[in-house]
Amino acid sequence: MKKKTLLIKAAGAALAIMASGAMAQDWPAKPVTLVVPYTAGGSADAIGRRLGDVLRKESNVTVIVENKPGAGASVGTDFVARAQPDGTTLLLASTSPLTIFPHLAKTNYDPMKDLTPVASVAVAPVAIVATKALPVQDFAGLIEYAKSHPDGVRYGTPGQGTVAHIGMSAVTAQTGTKMLHVPYRGNSQALTDGLGGVVELLVVNSDVVLPHVVSGALKPLAVMAPQRLAAWPDVPTMAELKMPQAQYYSNFGVFAPAKLPATVAQPLQAALAKAVASAEFQDLLAKSYLQPGTATGEAFAKQVQAEFANNARIIKEGNIKAE
């Protein structure tokens, strides 16, 4: 009887292993919907569509990219959070809907419990650049000028509560300076006023200002990115300036609903790693002045958690409100 029981248990264990292997091999069981919670045409949309194309070619995965914009990207994020955790409904977004927006407005999802960070795939650096209205040559000069001219430095960002705004709030808090935030509706409007000298400083995506730095109309002072930009090898990062908590950038990642089984997470991460390493995806990064993703799996999840806590502190201390 004891021998029979052991045989039954052994058979059960074998079946469990076979089943888990089958699940891993069968992923995805149906076409994958990759939700981009922004309007078409932006950086996230371009990254999502290229990622979808590469997954189709490299891993023979059927991917449907679907834009679901609205409410600070929370509409699309909530849609994915409510989906079945089978790896066939995924989110391609910056970390902002998880780490910034929930501190500014009520969301239907719990950003730290309802989603699984799978992999960071690309980083869009944010640059701090001086306009012709600001007579400084480097970041140290900016801080010195700001201290001697309280509220005399106006900095334009793509909007209230953006990574650029949060990052500059961290800068002013750490340096003890007072600078005046001028929120715009997007990078392009901020750039127009920056080139016209309406504001002293621009804090926007680096790709937006690159041509104007080349022409000499704008001067880069620092980059809020994990590493220096290839185009500006002499411009320091915030970490190099001893301000790691002001290291802000758009970190685009793939997220899944919570409770994603390992049998789904593992082949999904492998497929994403293969897609991101492809020449086609790397070409997008190079041409769009994007940097590689920061981490995958548990390491990426820890980054998101740390970012959530850091943003909560900065938003509270800076009394930052939604528009």
Side-chain angles (χ1 to χ4, degrees):
M1 185 69 178
K2 185 175 181 181
K3 184 177 180 180
K4 184 177 180 181
T5 302
L6 289 172
L7 286 171
I8 291 173
K9 288 182 177 179
L15 285 171
I17 293 170
M18 291 171 63
S20 65
M23 286 179 68
Q25 292 171 3
D26 291 344
W27 178 87
K30 59 182 180 180
V32 172
T33 298
L34 186 61
V35 175
V36 177
Y38 313 99
T39 55
S43 297
D45 187 58
I47 294 168
R49 293 188 183 281
R50 181 63 59 89
L51 187 63
D53 288 340
V54 177
L55 280 170
R56 294 184 196 102
K57 296 174 184 177
E58 297 285 337
S59 300
N60 196 30
V61 175
T62 301
V63 181
I64 302 166
V65 178
E66 186 174 344
N67 296 90
K68 284 186 176 293
S74 66
V75 172
T77 303
D78 183 58
F79 178 83
V80 174
R82 294 175 180 275
Q84 290 296 315
D86 58 5
T88 61
T89 303
L90 303 171
L91 180 74
L92 187 286
S94 75
T95 54
S96 296
L98 279 74
T99 67
I100 293 179
F101 190 76
H103 298 302
L104 300 173
K106 181 177 174 58
T107 60
N108 292 325
Y109 56 90
D110 184 323
M112 294 296 100
K113 293 182 180 180
D114 293 343
L115 290 148
T116 300
V118 180
S120 167
V121 297
V123 165
V126 172
I128 301 175
V129 298
T131 74
K132 62 184 180 182
L134 186 64
V136 303
Q137 297 302 311
D138 53 27
F139 187 81
L142 163 65
I143 301 306
E144 183 180 347
Y145 184 89
K147 285 183 176 180
S148 61
H149 298 78
D151 286 331
V153 176
R154 296 161 295 183
Y155 66 93
T157 73
Q160 184 83 359
T162 57
V163 290
H165 180 202
I166 306 298
M168 281 303 292
S169 293
V171 168
T172 55
Q174 186 168 334
T175 58
T177 54
K178 291 183 67 178
M179 301 188 213
L180 184 62
H181 179 221
V182 183
Y184 290 87
R185 292 193 176 276
N187 286 299
S188 60
Q189 291 182 359
L191 176 63
T192 299
D193 273 6
L195 292 172
V198 175
V199 293
E200 285 74 23
L201 207 63
L202 285 176
V203 188
V204 295
N205 286 0
S206 59
D207 62 317
V208 174
V209 295
L210 276 169
H212 306 286
V213 169
V214 173
S215 72
L218 300 171
K219 184 173 186 58
L221 306 180
V223 290
M224 295 179 169
Q227 57 192 9
R228 293 191 181 196
L229 301 186
W232 304 337
D234 298 326
V235 179
T237 65
M238 301 311 293
E240 290 172 326
L241 292 168
K242 311 301 182 186
M243 302 185 69
Q245 290 185 327
Q247 185 170 276
Y248 274 76
Y249 45 85
S250 295
N251 193 352
F252 293 102
V254 174
F255 303 86
K259 300 179 181 179
L260 192 70
T263 50
V264 171
Q266 290 170 1
L268 172 57
Q269 287 180 359
L272 287 172
K274 186 178 180 182
V276 168
S278 70
E280 191 174 350
F281 193 82
Q282 290 298 311
D283 181 63
L284 171 71
L285 297 186
K287 288 182 177 178
S288 302
Y289 301 103
L290 298 168
Q291 293 182 351
T294 59
T296 60
E298 186 60 31
F300 183 39
K302 288 181 178 178
Q303 285 183 355
V304 172
Q305 291 162 6
E307 190 178 313
F308 178 85
N310 190 48
N311 288 342
R313 178 184 58 79
I314 293 172
I315 289 169
K316 182 178 180 180
E317 291 177 354
N319 195 29
I320 297 172
K321 306 294 183 183
E323 289 184 298

